[in-house]
Amino acid sequence: MSVNGGEAKKRLGVLVSGSGSNLQALIDACAQPDYPAELAVVISNVPTAFALERARRANVSAVALDHKSFADREAFDAELVAALRAHRVDVVCLAGFMRLVGKSFLDAFPQRVLNIHPSLLPAFPGLHGPRQAVKHGAKVAGCTVHFVDAGLDSGPIIAQAAVPVLPEDTEETLAARILIQEHQLYPLAVRWLCEGRIEIRDRTVHVRGGAPAIDAHALRSPGGAR
Ligand code: GAR
């Protein structure tokens, strides 16, 4: 398929483990005719994840690969790579995928694996970003889209959105506020990558077409397309 201007749409492979609300945001973005990507496959390591149901409803291939049925991470990663390649995936989006991926996986998709994380990295990597922010007494929290590298939530940062932490916040209320921003931010960052606007120099990500102004209230693409 092609987008305006005749460029081929990039094929997304989305890895999930849970509810898949970020997957839904990507499904909705891909439904726009001018969006530069299409969904090729959704893969979950949790066979009962609701995200797989979202994929089926959108007529996207939905694959369950239970990591527990593999001997080790290498074997699981090899199967993930095989499934992504079988669906001719260009860009891999981790969307609530609660597994680390190894070097052989990353080597198969160099600078083509993105993750969304519910904190303003490098603060609060790992599990339960919103819980960590509330416990720490942070006044500002948010979400980050970044390239995945061999570390834990440590790859080059593409985009971030901030939200306030309110005095009465619990982990749940803060996570819900952050999630609203995630659903805007992830499709925007994927758009930039698929339009070939992203360059990494040292570990700083530059987005061609103007510096994106990212805040919780005004998410804009450099080209003003969203
Ligand atoms: C999202 O908040 C995502 O940022 C987070 O899991 C949630 C998944 O929600 N990911 C991580 O914590 C990864 N370390 P979703 O399944 O509704 O998209």
PDB file of all heavy atoms in Angstrom, residues 113-138:
ATOM      1  N   VAL A 113      13.283  -0.943  16.545  1.00  0.00           N
ATOM      2  CA  VAL A 113      12.462  -1.460  17.646  1.00  0.00           C
ATOM      3  C   VAL A 113      12.198  -0.316  18.611  1.00  0.00           C
ATOM      4  O   VAL A 113      13.125   0.285  19.168  1.00  0.00           O
ATOM      5  CB  VAL A 113      13.154  -2.623  18.401  1.00  0.00           C
ATOM      6  CG1 VAL A 113      12.214  -3.207  19.451  1.00  0.00           C
ATOM      7  CG2 VAL A 113      13.612  -3.704  17.430  1.00  0.00           C
ATOM      8  N   LEU A 114      10.910   0.003  18.799  1.00  0.00           N
ATOM      9  CA  LEU A 114      10.508   1.099  19.687  1.00  0.00           C
ATOM     10  C   LEU A 114       9.766   0.538  20.892  1.00  0.00           C
ATOM     11  O   LEU A 114       9.153  -0.520  20.823  1.00  0.00           O
ATOM     12  CB  LEU A 114       9.560   2.069  18.968  1.00  0.00           C
ATOM     13  CG  LEU A 114       9.988   2.689  17.645  1.00  0.00           C
ATOM     14  CD1 LEU A 114       8.979   3.760  17.222  1.00  0.00           C
ATOM     15  CD2 LEU A 114      11.369   3.289  17.751  1.00  0.00           C
ATOM     16  N   ASN A 115       9.793   1.309  21.976  1.00  0.00           N
ATOM     17  CA  ASN A 115       9.030   0.946  23.171  1.00  0.00           C
ATOM     18  C   ASN A 115       8.367   2.199  23.718  1.00  0.00           C
ATOM     19  O   ASN A 115       8.876   3.313  23.549  1.00  0.00           O
ATOM     20  CB  ASN A 115       9.973   0.371  24.237  1.00  0.00           C
ATOM     21  CG  ASN A 115       9.223  -0.050  25.501  1.00  0.00           C
ATOM     22  OD1 ASN A 115       8.137  -0.634  25.415  1.00  0.00           O
ATOM     23  ND2 ASN A 115       9.769   0.254  26.664  1.00  0.00           N
ATOM     24  N   ILE A 116       7.215   1.994  24.357  1.00  0.00           N
ATOM     25  CA  ILE A 116       6.625   3.094  25.126  1.00  0.00           C
ATOM     26  C   ILE A 116       6.655   2.717  26.588  1.00  0.00           C
ATOM     27  O   ILE A 116       6.363   1.570  26.959  1.00  0.00           O
ATOM     28  CB  ILE A 116       5.200   3.452  24.664  1.00  0.00           C
ATOM     29  CG1 ILE A 116       4.708   4.695  25.430  1.00  0.00           C
ATOM     30  CG2 ILE A 116       4.226   2.289  24.801  1.00  0.00           C
ATOM     31  CD1 ILE A 116       3.771   5.569  24.677  1.00  0.00           C
ATOM     32  N   HIS A 117       7.078   3.698  27.417  1.00  0.00           N
ATOM     33  CA  HIS A 117       7.258   3.419  28.834  1.00  0.00           C
ATOM     34  C   HIS A 117       6.536   4.501  29.645  1.00  0.00           C
ATOM     35  O   HIS A 117       6.639   5.689  29.312  1.00  0.00           O
ATOM     36  CB  HIS A 117       8.755   3.409  29.171  1.00  0.00           C
ATOM     37  CG  HIS A 117       9.015   3.115  30.612  1.00  0.00           C
ATOM     38  ND1 HIS A 117       8.905   1.844  31.130  1.00  0.00           N
ATOM     39  CD2 HIS A 117       9.323   3.932  31.652  1.00  0.00           C
ATOM     40  CE1 HIS A 117       9.148   1.888  32.429  1.00  0.00           C
ATOM     41  NE2 HIS A 117       9.407   3.133  32.763  1.00  0.00           N
ATOM     42  N   PRO A 118       5.842   4.125  30.721  1.00  0.00           N
ATOM     43  CA  PRO A 118       5.032   5.099  31.457  1.00  0.00           C
ATOM     44  C   PRO A 118       5.808   5.881  32.521  1.00  0.00           C
ATOM     45  O   PRO A 118       5.415   5.931  33.692  1.00  0.00           O
ATOM     46  CB  PRO A 118       3.936   4.228  32.087  1.00  0.00           C
ATOM     47  CG  PRO A 118       4.627   2.933  32.345  1.00  0.00           C
ATOM     48  CD  PRO A 118       5.616   2.748  31.215  1.00  0.00           C
ATOM     49  N   SER A 119       6.921   6.479  32.111  1.00  0.00           N
ATOM     50  CA  SER A 119       7.621   7.428  32.991  1.00  0.00           C
ATOM     51  C   SER A 119       8.437   8.355  32.106  1.00  0.00           C
ATOM     52  O   SER A 119       8.613   8.081  30.910  1.00  0.00           O
ATOM     53  CB  SER A 119       8.551   6.720  33.989  1.00  0.00           C
ATOM     54  OG  SER A 119       9.766   6.360  33.354  1.00  0.00           O
ATOM     55  N   LEU A 120       8.931   9.421  32.713  1.00  0.00           N
ATOM     56  CA  LEU A 120       9.849  10.306  32.006  1.00  0.00           C
ATOM     57  C   LEU A 120      11.245   9.735  32.195  1.00  0.00           C
ATOM     58  O   LEU A 120      11.953  10.062  33.149  1.00  0.00           O
ATOM     59  CB  LEU A 120       9.741  11.734  32.558  1.00  0.00           C
ATOM     60  CG  LEU A 120       8.422  12.460  32.261  1.00  0.00           C
ATOM     61  CD1 LEU A 120       8.379  13.822  32.963  1.00  0.00           C
ATOM     62  CD2 LEU A 120       8.206  12.626  30.768  1.00  0.00           C
ATOM     63  N   LEU A 121      11.645   8.863  31.293  1.00  0.00           N
ATOM     64  CA  LEU A 121      12.983   8.258  31.399  1.00  0.00           C
ATOM     65  C   LEU A 121      14.049   9.343  31.321  1.00  0.00           C
ATOM     66  O   LEU A 121      13.840  10.358  30.656  1.00  0.00           O
ATOM     67  CB  LEU A 121      13.171   7.230  30.276  1.00  0.00           C
ATOM     68  CG  LEU A 121      12.268   5.989  30.380  1.00  0.00           C
ATOM     69  CD1 LEU A 121      12.352   5.144  29.116  1.00  0.00           C
ATOM     70  CD2 LEU A 121      12.651   5.144  31.606  1.00  0.00           C
ATOM     71  N   PRO A 122      15.186   9.199  31.993  1.00  0.00           N
ATOM     72  CA  PRO A 122      15.647   7.975  32.640  1.00  0.00           C
ATOM     73  C   PRO A 122      15.106   7.760  34.056  1.00  0.00           C
ATOM     74  O   PRO A 122      15.574   6.853  34.748  1.00  0.00           O
ATOM     75  CB  PRO A 122      17.168   8.163  32.660  1.00  0.00           C
ATOM     76  CG  PRO A 122      17.359   9.644  32.775  1.00  0.00           C
ATOM     77  CD  PRO A 122      16.239  10.240  31.967  1.00  0.00           C
ATOM     78  N   ALA A 123      14.138   8.564  34.505  1.00  0.00           N
ATOM     79  CA  ALA A 123      13.540   8.280  35.816  1.00  0.00           C
ATOM     80  C   ALA A 123      12.631   7.050  35.718  1.00  0.00           C
ATOM     81  O   ALA A 123      11.934   6.876  34.720  1.00  0.00           O
ATOM     82  CB  ALA A 123      12.716   9.476  36.287  1.00  0.00           C
ATOM     83  N   PHE A 124      12.656   6.252  36.714  1.00  0.00           N
ATOM     84  CA  PHE A 124      11.713   5.158  36.923  1.00  0.00           C
ATOM     85  C   PHE A 124      11.618   4.151  35.773  1.00  0.00           C
ATOM     86  O   PHE A 124      10.544   3.928  35.218  1.00  0.00           O
ATOM     87  CB  PHE A 124      10.317   5.729  37.242  1.00  0.00           C
ATOM     88  CG  PHE A 124      10.342   6.787  38.304  1.00  0.00           C
ATOM     89  CD1 PHE A 124       9.675   7.989  38.122  1.00  0.00           C
ATOM     90  CD2 PHE A 124      11.049   6.604  39.482  1.00  0.00           C
ATOM     91  CE1 PHE A 124       9.699   8.975  39.094  1.00  0.00           C
ATOM     92  CE2 PHE A 124      11.085   7.586  40.461  1.00  0.00           C
ATOM     93  CZ  PHE A 124      10.414   8.780  40.261  1.00  0.00           C
ATOM     94  N   PRO A 125      12.742   3.549  35.391  1.00  0.00           N
ATOM     95  CA  PRO A 125      12.674   2.454  34.407  1.00  0.00           C
ATOM     96  C   PRO A 125      12.107   1.193  35.064  1.00  0.00           C
ATOM     97  O   PRO A 125      11.890   1.159  36.279  1.00  0.00           O
ATOM     98  CB  PRO A 125      14.150   2.255  34.033  1.00  0.00           C
ATOM     99  CG  PRO A 125      14.901   2.688  35.247  1.00  0.00           C
ATOM    100  CD  PRO A 125      14.086   3.803  35.877  1.00  0.00           C
ATOM    101  N   GLY A 126      11.880   0.180  34.245  1.00  0.00           N
ATOM    102  CA  GLY A 126      11.442  -1.114  34.786  1.00  0.00           C
ATOM    103  C   GLY A 126       9.946  -1.158  35.006  1.00  0.00           C
ATOM    104  O   GLY A 126       9.189  -0.440  34.372  1.00  0.00           O
ATOM    105  N   LEU A 127       9.550  -1.998  35.950  1.00  0.00           N
ATOM    106  CA  LEU A 127       8.118  -2.215  36.174  1.00  0.00           C
ATOM    107  C   LEU A 127       7.500  -1.065  36.957  1.00  0.00           C
ATOM    108  O   LEU A 127       8.181  -0.369  37.717  1.00  0.00           O
ATOM    109  CB  LEU A 127       7.913  -3.520  36.954  1.00  0.00           C
ATOM    110  CG  LEU A 127       8.294  -4.815  36.221  1.00  0.00           C
ATOM    111  CD1 LEU A 127       8.110  -6.013  37.150  1.00  0.00           C
ATOM    112  CD2 LEU A 127       7.462  -4.972  34.948  1.00  0.00           C
ATOM    113  N   HIS A 128       6.214  -0.860  36.771  1.00  0.00           N
ATOM    114  CA  HIS A 128       5.391   0.030  37.598  1.00  0.00           C
ATOM    115  C   HIS A 128       5.904   1.471  37.644  1.00  0.00           C
ATOM    116  O   HIS A 128       6.092   2.034  38.731  1.00  0.00           O
ATOM    117  CB  HIS A 128       5.288  -0.525  39.031  1.00  0.00           C
ATOM    118  CG  HIS A 128       4.884  -1.964  39.103  1.00  0.00           C
ATOM    119  ND1 HIS A 128       3.701  -2.426  38.577  1.00  0.00           N
ATOM    120  CD2 HIS A 128       5.529  -3.049  39.602  1.00  0.00           C
ATOM    121  CE1 HIS A 128       3.616  -3.739  38.751  1.00  0.00           C
ATOM    122  NE2 HIS A 128       4.714  -4.144  39.372  1.00  0.00           N
ATOM    123  N   GLY A 129       6.098   2.072  36.471  1.00  0.00           N
ATOM    124  CA  GLY A 129       6.541   3.466  36.415  1.00  0.00           C
ATOM    125  C   GLY A 129       5.673   4.404  37.234  1.00  0.00           C
ATOM    126  O   GLY A 129       6.195   5.181  38.062  1.00  0.00           O
ATOM    127  N   PRO A 130       4.337   4.395  37.045  1.00  0.00           N
ATOM    128  CA  PRO A 130       3.481   5.309  37.832  1.00  0.00           C
ATOM    129  C   PRO A 130       3.577   5.049  39.337  1.00  0.00           C
ATOM    130  O   PRO A 130       3.594   5.986  40.133  1.00  0.00           O
ATOM    131  CB  PRO A 130       2.076   5.015  37.297  1.00  0.00           C
ATOM    132  CG  PRO A 130       2.306   4.498  35.901  1.00  0.00           C
ATOM    133  CD  PRO A 130       3.579   3.701  35.985  1.00  0.00           C
ATOM    134  N   ARG A 131       3.674   3.784  39.739  1.00  0.00           N
ATOM    135  CA  ARG A 131       3.803   3.475  41.170  1.00  0.00           C
ATOM    136  C   ARG A 131       5.097   4.067  41.721  1.00  0.00           C
ATOM    137  O   ARG A 131       5.114   4.680  42.805  1.00  0.00           O
ATOM    138  CB  ARG A 131       3.799   1.954  41.384  1.00  0.00           C
ATOM    139  CG  ARG A 131       3.888   1.560  42.862  1.00  0.00           C
ATOM    140  CD  ARG A 131       4.070   0.058  43.033  1.00  0.00           C
ATOM    141  NE  ARG A 131       2.964  -0.687  42.425  1.00  0.00           N
ATOM    142  CZ  ARG A 131       2.921  -2.017  42.371  1.00  0.00           C
ATOM    143  NH1 ARG A 131       3.904  -2.751  42.883  1.00  0.00           N
ATOM    144  NH2 ARG A 131       1.900  -2.626  41.795  1.00  0.00           N
ATOM    145  N   GLN A 132       6.166   3.911  40.951  1.00  0.00           N
ATOM    146  CA  GLN A 132       7.454   4.452  41.399  1.00  0.00           C
ATOM    147  C   GLN A 132       7.376   5.974  41.530  1.00  0.00           C
ATOM    148  O   GLN A 132       7.909   6.543  42.489  1.00  0.00           O
ATOM    149  CB  GLN A 132       8.550   4.103  40.392  1.00  0.00           C
ATOM    150  CG  GLN A 132       8.893   2.626  40.284  1.00  0.00           C
ATOM    151  CD  GLN A 132      10.108   2.439  39.374  1.00  0.00           C
ATOM    152  OE1 GLN A 132      11.200   2.936  39.660  1.00  0.00           O
ATOM    153  NE2 GLN A 132       9.926   1.736  38.273  1.00  0.00           N
ATOM    154  N   ALA A 133       6.694   6.643  40.574  1.00  0.00           N
ATOM    155  CA  ALA A 133       6.612   8.113  40.615  1.00  0.00           C
ATOM    156  C   ALA A 133       5.830   8.582  41.832  1.00  0.00           C
ATOM    157  O   ALA A 133       6.246   9.532  42.529  1.00  0.00           O
ATOM    158  CB  ALA A 133       5.957   8.629  39.332  1.00  0.00           C
ATOM    159  N   VAL A 134       4.709   7.917  42.133  1.00  0.00           N
ATOM    160  CA  VAL A 134       3.898   8.302  43.295  1.00  0.00           C
ATOM    161  C   VAL A 134       4.699   8.067  44.576  1.00  0.00           C
ATOM    162  O   VAL A 134       4.771   8.930  45.459  1.00  0.00           O
ATOM    163  CB  VAL A 134       2.558   7.514  43.325  1.00  0.00           C
ATOM    164  CG1 VAL A 134       1.859   7.684  44.665  1.00  0.00           C
ATOM    165  CG2 VAL A 134       1.652   7.966  42.177  1.00  0.00           C
ATOM    166  N   LYS A 135       5.321   6.898  44.680  1.00  0.00           N
ATOM    167  CA  LYS A 135       6.090   6.559  45.889  1.00  0.00           C
ATOM    168  C   LYS A 135       7.234   7.528  46.118  1.00  0.00           C
ATOM    169  O   LYS A 135       7.592   7.845  47.253  1.00  0.00           O
ATOM    170  CB  LYS A 135       6.655   5.138  45.774  1.00  0.00           C
ATOM    171  CG  LYS A 135       5.693   4.077  46.197  1.00  0.00           C
ATOM    172  CD  LYS A 135       6.446   2.824  46.619  1.00  0.00           C
ATOM    173  CE  LYS A 135       5.504   1.859  47.325  1.00  0.00           C
ATOM    174  NZ  LYS A 135       5.951   0.493  47.257  1.00  0.00           N
ATOM    175  N   HIS A 136       7.828   7.977  45.011  1.00  0.00           N
ATOM    176  CA  HIS A 136       8.991   8.852  45.110  1.00  0.00           C
ATOM    177  C   HIS A 136       8.605  10.278  45.445  1.00  0.00           C
ATOM    178  O   HIS A 136       9.454  11.103  45.813  1.00  0.00           O
ATOM    179  CB  HIS A 136       9.774   8.817  43.790  1.00  0.00           C
ATOM    180  CG  HIS A 136      11.171   9.334  43.898  1.00  0.00           C
ATOM    181  ND1 HIS A 136      12.208   8.550  44.344  1.00  0.00           N
ATOM    182  CD2 HIS A 136      11.694  10.561  43.657  1.00  0.00           C
ATOM    183  CE1 HIS A 136      13.314   9.269  44.352  1.00  0.00           C
ATOM    184  NE2 HIS A 136      13.033  10.500  43.941  1.00  0.00           N
ATOM    185  N   GLY A 137       7.314  10.596  45.280  1.00  0.00           N
ATOM    186  CA  GLY A 137       6.869  11.971  45.511  1.00  0.00           C
ATOM    187  C   GLY A 137       7.175  12.893  44.352  1.00  0.00           C
ATOM    188  O   GLY A 137       7.278  14.123  44.514  1.00  0.00           O
ATOM    189  N   ALA A 138       7.300  12.326  43.134  1.00  0.00           N
ATOM    190  CA  ALA A 138       7.547  13.170  41.948  1.00  0.00           C
ATOM    191  C   ALA A 138       6.372  14.121  41.740  1.00  0.00           C
ATOM    192  O   ALA A 138       5.227  13.791  42.050  1.00  0.00           O
ATOM    193  CB  ALA A 138       7.737  12.282  40.719  1.00  0.00           C
TER     194      ALA A 138
END
